[in-house]
Amino acid sequence: MKNTIEIDGTNDDIWNFDGARANWNISTLTVIKNNLRLDDICVIKLPTYNVDNIINNVLACFKYFIVDFDENFTFEINNNTIELTRVDDKEYYKIDILNVNKI
């Protein structure tokens, strides 16, 4: 059975302040790592303005920090939404950014 996780990235503060964007990216990566199981879908809703640039930035972040991203996830872009599906669970993360809050 496929479960769907929804992430709201429509708040303007996320995209207008570097600290907020970094926190959002870390939170999103944490959700993907800890909660997205095989065949689950993560629906990430983004602002409607500058949508191509924002989508490219989000995907670039995923591909940078998630090693073997393309082998473990597929994605579809629908307007201002990214639908990310886990197809395997053998990825790992470039650095342990997900433990930043423990420092």
Side-chain angles (χ1 to χ4, degrees):
M1 180 177 153
K2 291 183 182 181
N3 293 314
T4 301
I5 298 170
E6 294 184 15
I7 297 176
D8 185 359
T10 59
N11 184 334
D12 288 343
D13 289 342
I14 294 169
W15 309 107
N16 294 321
F17 300 102
D18 290 339
R21 186 176 321 124
N23 285 333
W24 187 85
N25 285 337
I26 290 169
S27 297
T28 301
L29 288 165
T30 301
V31 167
I32 292 168
K33 179 180 180 186
N34 295 333
N35 303 104
L36 197 64
R37 305 289 177 235
L38 197 59
D39 295 324
D40 284 355
I41 298 170
C42 182
V43 177
I44 304 167
K45 188 172 181 182
L46 301 167
T48 56
Y49 64 88
N50 201 12
V51 69
D52 290 337
N53 187 42
I54 292 173
I55 285 174
N56 288 335
N57 285 334
V58 170
L59 292 174
C61 175
F62 292 166
K63 291 179 179 186
Y64 179 79
F65 286 110
I66 303 174
V67 177
D68 295 331
F69 174 83
D70 290 327
E71 290 82 16
N72 291 282
F73 301 93
T74 60
F75 64 89
E76 289 184 30
I77 298 169
N78 297 312
N79 298 320
N80 65 321
T81 302
I82 300 172
E83 292 182 10
L84 182 70
T85 304
R86 178 180 286 284
V87 294
D88 206 344
D89 59 0
K90 295 178 178 62
E91 85 280 0
Y92 63 95
Y93 292 77
K94 200 173 256 192
I95 58 171
D96 198 4
I97 62 162
L98 306 182
N99 287 318
V100 161
N101 294 329
K102 295 179 183 176
I103 297 174

